[in-house]
Amino acid sequence: MKNLAVILRLFWRGDRRAFLVGILLSSVTILAGTALLGLSGWFITASAIAGAAGAGLTFDFFRPSAGIRFLAIARTAGRYGERLTSHGATLSFLALLRVRIFRNLAAADFARLGRFRSGEVLARLTSDVDNLDNVYLRLFLPALAGAGSLALITLGLCLVDLRLGLLTGGLILAASAVIVVAGAVLGLREARRQALAREAIRLRAIDLSRGQAELLLAGRLEHQRQTVLDAHERSEKSADRIGLVEAWQSAGLFLAGQAALLLVLALGAPLVASGRIGAAALAMALLAAFGAIEAVTPLGRGALGLGRTLLAAGRLAPLVVDPSPDAATSPALDEPTREGIPELALQEVSFGWRRDSPIVSRFSLVLGRGERLALVGPSGSGKSTVLALAAGIYPPGAGRVLFRGGDVRRFKGALGYLPQASALFSGTVAENLRLAAPLATREELWAALEIAGLAPRVAELPEGLASPLGEGGQGFSGGELRRLALARLIIFSPSVFLLDEPTESMGEELGLSILESLFASRPDAAFLYVTHREGEARLAHRIIRIGAGGLNPARV
């Protein structure tokens, strides 16, 4: 419930006027419908009595008829307005919530993002957010509107007879509360199971689609297909059980309504016989009681999905909390580096996935403006980890990583990082490049491609910069994709370049010439790069050589 409270606070901080208007219009709809039933019952009964008594000519047909028409129009208009207002406000809130979650995920540490499986972030932004529409539309809107309407209906019955009104209202309130809560409790586990099963279907289907070749080679293709079918079967079983609970809940609310009618009849008949109320008033009370049970019926449907809503709230609540001001605020980067303060500094930094086996232990380096520093060593020695720490991707377990004297995590996006596996997307060459600089001109794109050594290859394409690439950059070779990713980083033009094997999948001569062009084009930038080629390492002003034992205390 704590996580649900976080979501509710966001609802309230949103368009609260629309939410309150939705509750008001829903109450108007319920009251208009109940009053329409009661007035119609009174009118029919009173007309029949007047006709039987021979007073039909003097009976006022016009004002009750006008009242019935007014209530019918009010009920229709109220329902339309409530749907328009409440659904519009909910959909707007969910859209803003998706933006908020995406923004917070983009600002989160990469180590945190790395814990998500493929497709999980998409699930959070789609199905989990969609499940939160239950919070307002099917829980709090019907609960508040139903409670307010039931109170006013009870008050109206009390005007007929105090004892009749209190007992009838109390019966409906108690019976509906027990039935709704019982349905929520019985459906809680099954709703969660259904939500988890549907997520398992999605994730396993993604794994099946993307890993068909690997699964086939491992002889696990049929097994993976069966896991998808098993998850689907669990989802269907949960749906059947939820349907059964809903049927019992509907039956319980129906019986509660019949009990309320019998109670009104049992209490009202003696009152009619004694002449304290008329038969028309009893008919009005009967139909008003019938309308009262309709006021709480929608809440039962929302309660059945409570488990799914709580699961979604538990997943999303940590993602909607804004980052701390220190982590989210970046100082101005257009100021020149102050005298004596390096562009990048790692101070006694340690990092490891487990405390007893650190990958980096008390490592330090200083990189000034315009300096180039190369990390050279065997695979597994911690070179890539140092770059990830310098980029602020991994938070250090000990020590500090500073950019221009401030914590590097305050400067999200200020450093340029080229990992070993760069993300390229289905789209044109220009679209992939402009991810780094949406307003970059064609001339700037071609200049970056020229430095990366890819301009001749793109010029050969039929559509040049507008040439489409497949998913993951399909259409280019491994070396060409590496150069495209490097060109994108060049367009970004950071003050510090962090390059992890930038010439991977390229020939040694080509890679050396590309690095020379890059260094010459950005003489004021600082470079920290990993390479296994001696010729490329010698382009640096300084070299750190790491042995097979990994990164230990170092003085640079």
Side-chain angles (χ1 to χ4, degrees), residues 110-195:
F110 282 75
R112 181 185 181 190
L113 292 176
R115 291 194 290 269
F116 287 103
R117 287 187 58 197
S118 176
E120 280 190 273
V121 173
L122 180 62
R124 300 294 175 270
L125 292 170
T126 54
S127 59
D128 281 344
V129 172
D130 287 340
N131 285 333
L132 292 181
D133 68 355
N134 197 54
V135 173
Y136 176 72
L137 293 177
R138 298 181 181 86
L139 284 175
F140 287 91
L141 174 64
L144 295 175
S149 300
L150 182 58
L152 291 176
I153 292 170
T154 302
L155 178 61
L157 291 174
C158 287
L159 295 177
V160 177
D161 181 78
L162 181 62
R163 180 166 170 264
L164 181 148
L166 291 177
L167 289 177
T168 303
L171 172 64
I172 294 174
L173 178 62
S176 60
V178 170
I179 294 169
V180 168
V181 171
V185 172
L186 292 174
L188 185 65
R189 184 172 63 177
E190 292 304 329
R192 289 174 63 91
R193 284 182 174 177
Q194 186 184 40

Side-chain angles (χ1 to χ4, degrees), residues 453-461 475-477 480 483:
L454 195 61
R457 174 72 173 90
V458 175
E460 293 174 354
L461 298 175
F476 276 178
S477 67
E480 290 168 344
R483 282 179 275 167

Side-chain angles (χ1 to χ4, degrees), residues 471-487:
E471 183 179 356
Q474 290 179 357
F476 276 178
S477 67
E480 290 168 344
L481 293 176
R482 194 66 176 154
R483 282 179 275 167
L484 182 61
L486 181 59

Side-chain angles (χ1 to χ4, degrees), residues 305-382:
L306 183 60
R308 186 169 58 249
T309 302
L310 290 176
L311 180 63
R315 288 170 167 174
L316 295 178
L319 302 179
V320 300
V321 178
D322 287 330
S324 64
D326 288 342
T329 304
S330 297
L333 298 178
D334 55 354
E335 299 178 0
T337 306
R338 287 176 290 171
E339 189 68 28
I341 296 180
E343 288 284 280
L344 182 67
L346 278 67
Q347 299 177 347
E348 298 289 320
V349 172
S350 298
F351 177 82
W353 299 112
R354 297 187 306 173
R355 291 185 178 180
D356 57 346
S357 58
I359 302 172
V360 177
S361 178
R362 300 182 59 196
F363 179 78
S364 300
L365 67 78
V366 175
L367 187 64
R369 187 179 185 186
E371 285 191 288
R372 301 192 293 270
L373 195 156
L375 291 178
V376 179
S379 297
S381 57

Side-chain angles (χ1 to χ4, degrees), residues 2 10 126 128 156 158 201 216 226 230 244 280 396 426 438 478 515 546:
K2 180 181 177 181
L10 290 176
T126 54
D128 281 344
C158 287
I201 293 171
L216 183 62
Q226 188 60 45
D230 291 343
L244 184 61
S426 177
L515 279 186
I546 304 166

